Amino acid sequence: MDYCNNESCSGAVSVPDRNFGRGVNVTKPGNDQELLKVAQDLVDASVGTEQVEVILSNGESTTVKVHSGEVESLTSAGSAAAGIRVIRDGRLGFASCGTLNPIVLSETLDSARDNCRFAEQDEHNGLALADGVDVVPQNLWSDSVLSTTVDQKVALALDLERQVIGLDSRVSTARSTSYGDGWGQAALASTNGISRVTSEASCSIGTQPLARHGDETQMGWGSDASRDPESLDLQKVATEAVERATKLLGATKPSSVRVPILLEPRLAVTLFGMVTGMLSAEAVQKGRSPFADRLGEQIGSELLNLVDDPTRSESLGAEEWDGEGLACRSNPLLKAGVLQMFLHDSTTARRAGLRSTGSAVRAVRGLPAPGPQLLVMEPGETSAPEMLRGVTTGLAVQSFAGIHSGVNPVSGDFSVGADGVMIRNGELAEPVRELTIASTIQRLLLGVTRVADDFEWLPGGSGACSVLIEDVSVSGS
Amino acid sequence: MLDHSTISAVLTAGMEEGADFTEIFVEDRQSISAMLDDGRVEELASGRDRGAGIRVVSGETTGFAHTADLSVESLRVAARTAAAGARGGTGKALPISASPRSAAGRTLPTILPENVDKGEKVALLKAAEDAARSENQAISQVTARYADSRRRIQVANSDGIHSADDQVRTMFSVSTVASGDTGMQTGRESVGRTVGFELFSETDVAELARTAAQRAITKLAARPAPSGEMTVVIGPGGGGVMFHEACGHGLEADLVAKGASVFAGRVGEKVASELVTLVDDGTMDGEWGHTTIDDEGLAVRRNVLISDGVLMDYMWDGLRARSEGRNSSGNGRRQSYRHLPMVRMTNTYLLAGESDPADIVADTESGVYVAHLGGGQVNTATGDFVFGMTEAYLIEEGRITAPLREGNLIGNGPAVLANIDAVGDDFSMGAPGTCGKDGQGVPVGDGVPTLRVHGLTIGGTAA
């Protein structure tokens, strides 16, 4: 991959809106049937036996960034997007645009049709067929996001920055502190009679404090997300962010060792989220998953229970329907470490002679593909303090770096940069940085020796607990 | 794009409540991508995006709004929305030219991709797949991707800037999977340039595919990478990402101003080995990070960041430059009209030195030779950075020997820059990249000659 990333992204604020773009005020909130009608009208323009699927989104968002007690930027904008999939004689064409302008939408449909001519035939190509599975209704809307004034949004961001700077004398500034919110609606219609529409609104805050001691600077981060601006937990975000920054002051490079690593819930999601990505049926069918032949086998520790479940209403990542308009459902992936299933959209399901698992993920402006939607780990029985006490020598990881360049989802090779705090005789000891952690995804899964009972829903939507993984290569000097 | 009267009306609307600066950025982007996977041309996708972003600055505060509706009424509303976010200021605006100026420095594409039949694009995918699969029976999967885009931009602001650019990019990539007794390994190779379809008269996609195939095959026999601090030799072209991460981001003036860079306050100081001269150069005609103007309408420049080890200057955008009373370096870039510009790199590269590349390897008793790098990431506050190696070998007694499995390397920017002790007389630009910062991706290029650095930590599993 030729990508690079600035670390600062990791603490960036994002409103959870996996499927929904936001933007131009073509329809107002609460008027989502109008959006569905625009989609349905385009579908009704289909000719002959062609299959047409239209997904549309629109919405508005606000982002406030503050610095040193002043507003640094205030962005308020609407945006819209459309993605049109056409299948003719088993050939797939796709086109997208960033507007709901009727002329452009009609041109986009024509482009998608034209694109079909150049793709090769695949008998398994086709849109989703209604499968009779009922949607688990979710309440994704929030009036309070819309009724919050710009002044209140600015005040929230400034308040967070004030709290961050007041907590510790070594923290006198933050790289960035922000509040963001948005509402969005998405509609999907197809010639197979699928017709869905959803509205959603949410808000979030985030900060990246800088802790200084002598010549040294460390950056922390913290964030929270909610459907109600008033329930954003500023104090928790500030405390966590400042702790992360100050904890690493004085960190040095450790000597190379093989030790157990302790991952807090957020990092457990990073690791197991990559695993669930490798359980996409597309990766399996195309010979790109190391777990392709392992159905029914023990691929992880007996302590590991992983479910992909976007129907969990407690989570901010809950969704009603997938990227093809099928009802989202609960899909158990690992039970006591045994691989239960792969995640399917309707194309991979057809190829495998199975039914879709409602796992089509997509951006409005891209094609759907099967993948994980909302990872939920089942809690274990060990308390987090007890888990720590049981480690003689180990590493409590604070953050990973270079996940996108250091994890190969085909071979399973895993090698990432990290920082954190060493564990000595059951207690947190000296901070460490500039180290790498290496293993393979396969070994990490089997190496889980403890799952804690500290289950929490993370701002990004996933639900997870801390885990302890044995025998990992930590490289330093 | 937009005419003079519309632009003037928008700038007036932005300044009428009093502001220091108003800018309109108009963008019209069209793109096509085609993908072959699992033996079949699976999809052809086209995209169209058009709109304008309006920025109003007052003191240190920026108000920003954008719209996909380019009617003068809608643009005025967006300008007033942006202005509401940033009040106070002189409200003074300079007039703009009737039509936008284009900056020099671009060879026009000889073949606009939009004039090429889609069937021709698809044919390239088939040719690449055939070549990759014929290279070796162990190649079990091939993905080939073609993409082109045309991005027309127009920028006008209350300082009197009015300029335009027409950016055509074409890219092609091949990813392979090789299967053997030891499991599966992957290989990838890509080419991307700010040119039209003529890219394929200079690039043989079959050759590209064979390289991607060979990379996967080689790794089937690879051993686990070592673990711990080692001497690393980086091959020409492959290692630009290292400088992008080791110091590039840390030299972005917005991060410097916020105290989030280890390079803050160090201009004029020696920050690297005297073998290091690092340049960020948006003017490199045809390179992936090339444009004629930045996304704030200024002509791009060749900026020397580090000269013989001494830090010369940071990279600047208009906002940062304005608040420090100096000129922008032409590094204000944005992903699209929906985004605010920030300080970004363009094509970042290390100038060639005087050593013979063969001698650099021969003089290395033991270490790792990295022929091809993956992506990277940096924490600019500490300078700690990582980058992935996607093709690497052991160096034993001055010779390149066994292939290594993938892994990340970690180092600290200032320490690594000081520990470069050899720079080769060869040079090559690397693969096209997308640099991510605060959620925005922009195309960037990089390049390096062969070089040697001590004290990078290799994240392998071998003892």
Side-chain angles (χ1 to χ4, degrees):
Chain A
M1 304 260 288
D2 306 314
Y3 288 85
C4 67
N5 241 305
N6 190 301
E7 158 73 29
S8 41
C9 301
S10 62
V13 174
S14 71
V15 179
D17 67 337
R18 199 174 55 249
N19 295 340
F20 308 144
R22 279 167 262 137
V24 174
N25 211 352
V26 175
T27 50
K28 296 283 182 192
N31 212 355
D32 52 11
Q33 292 302 321
E34 201 174 299
L35 188 69
L36 182 58
K37 185 172 182 307
V38 175
Q40 190 60 54
D41 286 350
L42 275 163
V43 167
D44 291 343
S46 69
V47 292
T49 58
E50 74 176 4
Q51 298 182 52
V52 176
E53 173 198 77
V54 176
I55 181 166
L56 304 178
S57 71
N58 79 318
E60 287 177 316
S61 67
T62 305
T63 308
V64 184
K65 286 189 180 179
V66 299
H67 190 256
S68 302
E70 302 280 343
V71 176
E72 186 180 23
S73 68
L74 172 60
T75 301
S76 48
S79 51
I84 303 181
R85 182 158 64 137
V86 175
I87 296 163
R88 289 182 155 188
D89 306 324
R91 294 169 198 272
L92 172 65
F94 183 77
S96 70
C97 60
T99 173
L100 300 181
N101 176 309
I103 298 165
V104 179
L105 285 176
S106 162
E107 285 170 3
T108 303
L109 174 58
D110 288 342
S111 293
R113 279 181 180 137
D114 186 57
N115 289 344
C116 289
R117 295 194 292 130
F118 303 94
E120 289 179 78
Q121 230 168 15
D122 180 348
E123 56 177 322
H124 304 296
N125 269 336
L127 305 179
L129 276 167
D131 60 3
V133 177
D134 290 330
V135 157
V136 178
Q138 305 290 341
N139 186 11
L140 309 178
W141 187 249
S142 161
D143 286 327
S144 64
V145 166
L146 274 84
S147 60
T148 303
T149 65
V150 170
D151 286 348
Q152 288 169 321
K153 297 173 189 184
V154 169
L156 276 168
L158 289 173
D159 191 10
L160 176 59
E161 191 190 41
R162 238 183 339 262
Q163 293 199 26
V164 162
I165 289 168
L167 278 173
D168 189 304
S169 60
R170 294 166 295 178
V171 177
S172 59
T173 179
R175 192 202 142 184
S176 178
T177 301
S178 56
Y179 167 91
D181 68 23
W183 65 267
Q185 43 196 214
L188 185 145
S190 81
T191 46
N192 280 353
I194 291 191
S195 168
R196 301 278 191 204
V197 66
T198 312
S199 297
E200 169 171 78
S202 60
C203 57
S204 61
I205 45 165
T207 183
Q208 297 168 300
L210 296 164
R212 290 218 173 84
H213 185 72
D215 285 346
E216 189 189 354
T217 304
Q218 294 287 346
M219 187 159 59
W221 73 95
S223 66
D224 192 20
S226 174
R227 299 213 188 276
D228 176 10
E230 283 190 8
S231 66
L232 290 168
D233 194 340
L234 272 57
Q235 196 187 347
K236 179 163 179 265
V237 171
T239 309
E240 257 182 24
V242 167
E243 268 178 19
R244 284 185 177 127
T246 53
K247 200 196 295 178
L248 284 187
L249 284 170
T252 54
K253 190 172 188 164
S255 34
S256 300
V257 280
R258 278 179 99 91
V259 289
I261 58 170
L262 195 158
L263 304 181
E264 59 183 275
R266 185 178 48 86
L267 295 173
V269 165
T270 303
L271 174 61
F272 298 128
M274 286 184 288
V275 173
T276 55
M278 292 154 90
L279 301 179
S280 148
E282 184 171 0
V284 170
Q285 291 174 354
K286 290 179 174 173
R288 277 198 284 264
S289 170
F291 301 115
D293 307 320
R294 307 294 306 278
L295 213 53
E297 293 180 25
Q298 191 85 38
I299 64 163
S301 152
E302 285 180 5
L303 300 171
L304 266 188
N305 291 286
L306 303 179
V307 186
D308 187 52
D309 188 0
T311 69
R312 298 288 293 268
S313 309
E314 316 93 293
S315 163
L316 267 182
E319 297 283 355
E320 291 186 335
W321 40 276
D322 79 346
E324 298 185 294
L326 295 182
C328 287
R329 53 208 83 177
S330 173
N331 291 308
L333 298 174
L334 256 70
K335 272 190 188 163
V338 175
L339 179 58
Q340 304 294 311
M341 61 180 292
F342 298 117
L343 296 168
H344 284 277
D345 65 6
S346 43
T347 302
T348 60
R350 229 173 264 124
R351 186 169 286 127
L354 298 168
R355 289 162 60 121
S356 168
T357 59
S359 304
V361 290
R362 75 186 299 175
V364 169
R365 302 198 58 176
L367 280 161
Q373 294 159 295
L374 202 165
L375 173 64
V376 185
M377 280 176 72
E378 272 179 33
E381 286 166 1
T382 316
S383 76
E386 197 182 326
M387 193 160 91
L388 179 65
R389 277 199 298 274
V391 181
T392 311
T393 308
L395 171 68
V397 182
Q398 170 152 311
S399 66
F400 289 136
I403 287 281
H404 61 301
S405 62
V407 182
N408 186 318
V410 178
S411 66
D413 284 349
F414 181 98
S415 165
V416 301
D419 54 31
V421 179
M422 293 303 294
I423 305 169
R424 310 241 178 239
N425 300 316
E427 287 180 13
L428 293 176
E430 77 278 11
V432 287
R433 49 166 268 260
E434 204 187 332
L435 59 100
T436 61
I437 292 173
S439 182
T440 63
I441 290 278
Q442 295 90 324
R443 280 174 48 90
L444 291 169
L445 277 177
L446 290 165
V448 173
T449 53
R450 290 275 186 285
V451 176
D453 63 2
D454 59 347
F455 181 90
E456 62 173 299
W457 292 107
L458 297 161
S462 301
C465 331
S466 301
V467 292
L468 188 71
I469 304 178
E470 66 181 2
D471 194 28
V472 178
S473 295
V474 172
S475 305
S477 52
Chain B
M1 304 202 63
L2 295 185
D3 61 30
H4 183 262
S5 70
T6 305
I7 296 266
S8 299
V10 171
L11 294 179
T12 303
M15 300 298 278
E16 67 196 0
E17 297 288 325
D20 293 327
F21 175 80
T22 297
E23 170 200 73
I24 176 166
F25 174 87
V26 191
E27 180 183 48
D28 187 346
R29 191 175 191 280
Q30 59 194 78
S31 60
I32 288 264
S33 69
M35 192 173 76
L36 179 147
D37 195 11
D38 204 22
R40 190 182 286 124
V41 177
E42 283 197 338
E43 67 186 57
L44 200 66
S46 44
R48 184 76 195 264
D49 215 3
R50 204 167 71 126
I54 295 161
R55 177 161 68 131
V56 179
V57 180
S58 174
E60 292 283 319
T61 302
T62 298
F64 182 62
H66 55 79
T67 174
D69 178 354
L70 294 181
S71 68
V72 69
E73 300 78 37
S74 171
L75 291 167
R76 268 212 196 97
V77 170
R80 291 199 182 105
T81 307
R87 286 185 182 270
T90 61
K92 277 189 200 143
L94 294 173
I96 55 163
S97 57
S99 56
R101 295 200 176 89
S102 297
R106 158 86 39 80
T107 309
L108 293 174
T110 48
I111 310 170
L112 271 180
E114 65 204 54
N115 295 336
V116 176
D117 185 76
K118 290 172 186 169
E120 247 185 272
K121 300 173 182 176
V122 164
L124 291 170
L125 300 175
K126 304 290 279 182
E129 194 212 10
D130 287 348
R133 289 197 189 267
S134 327
E135 181 70 8
N136 194 303
Q137 285 185 341
I139 295 296
S140 57
Q141 192 56 276
V142 178
T143 307
R145 187 166 175 270
Y146 166 91
D148 65 54
S149 66
R150 182 173 189 186
R151 178 187 192 239
R152 275 170 285 200
I153 61 168
Q154 178 183 12
V155 193
N157 68 33
S158 54
D159 290 346
I161 293 279
H162 189 193
S163 47
D165 195 11
D166 186 350
Q167 300 160 1
V168 175
R169 288 191 170 84
T170 305
M171 72 97 71
F172 195 90
S173 68
V174 182
S175 301
T176 60
V177 179
S179 301
D181 300 338
T182 52
M184 295 182 287
Q185 288 294 337
T186 57
R188 184 171 188 272
E189 180 70 345
S190 60
V191 62
R193 291 177 58 74
T194 306
V195 301
F197 202 74
E198 67 271 19
L199 174 68
F200 301 103
S201 56
E202 58 194 71
T203 303
D204 179 3
V205 296
E207 188 57 40
L208 199 77
R210 284 191 285 271
T211 304
Q214 207 49 57
R215 208 160 263 156
I217 299 289
T218 303
K219 272 188 284 187
L220 282 181
R223 61 170 81 171
S227 156
E229 269 187 18
M230 301 201 74
T231 298
V232 175
V233 177
I234 292 174
V241 169
M242 188 181 90
F243 287 92
H244 181 106
E245 307 295 355
C247 60
H249 279 295
L251 299 179
E252 293 167 344
D254 49 352
L255 298 177
V256 172
K258 297 216 172 127
S261 168
V262 279
F263 295 100
R266 300 199 61 193
V267 170
E269 289 180 25
K270 189 160 186 292
V271 297
S273 147
E274 60 203 19
L275 299 173
V276 171
T277 295
L278 187 75
V279 176
D280 183 80
D281 186 356
T283 71
M284 294 176 90
D285 192 11
E287 291 302 335
W288 188 242
H290 167 66
T291 54
T292 62
I293 56 169
D294 72 357
D295 296 325
E296 300 186 293
L298 298 177
V300 293
R301 305 200 324 209
R302 178 180 189 273
N303 295 298
V304 178
L305 305 174
I306 297 174
S307 180
D308 300 328
V310 176
L311 179 56
M312 305 305 286
D313 198 1
Y314 306 118
M315 290 170 277
W316 301 80
D317 65 1
L319 193 68
R320 227 36 271 159
R322 169 182 289 269
S323 58
E324 303 199 14
R326 52 157 293 153
N327 288 326
S328 163
S329 59
N331 287 92
R333 304 182 68 190
R334 51 180 128 203
Q335 181 177 310
S336 80
Y337 75 88
R338 294 191 182 88
H339 299 88
L340 275 167
M342 291 188 273
V343 185
R344 305 303 296 265
M345 284 174 259
T346 61
N347 303 293
T348 313
Y349 57 95
L350 184 73
L351 294 194
E354 290 169 1
S355 301
D356 181 337
D359 291 346
I360 295 178
V361 175
D363 291 346
T364 306
E365 182 60 24
S366 75
V368 166
Y369 183 84
V370 182
H372 196 254
L373 293 182
Q377 185 176 335
V378 62
N379 176 339
T380 55
T382 60
D384 288 351
F385 69 98
V386 295
F387 59 90
M389 47 183 195
T390 52
E391 183 184 349
Y393 305 84
L394 270 184
I395 300 177
E396 297 171 294
E397 294 172 359
R399 289 175 44 238
I400 293 173
T401 59
L404 300 175
R405 291 180 75 147
E406 283 178 31
N408 257 325
L409 287 86
I410 192 162
N412 180 264
V416 164
L417 292 181
N419 286 338
I420 292 170
D421 74 347
V423 175
D425 60 7
D426 51 349
F427 175 84
S428 169
M429 288 299 283
T434 300
C435 170
K437 176 177 173 183
D438 290 352
Q440 291 193 44
V442 296
V444 293
D446 56 53
V448 281
T450 298
L451 64 107
R452 182 170 62 197
V453 55
H454 297 288
L456 279 170
T457 296
I458 311 238
T461 55

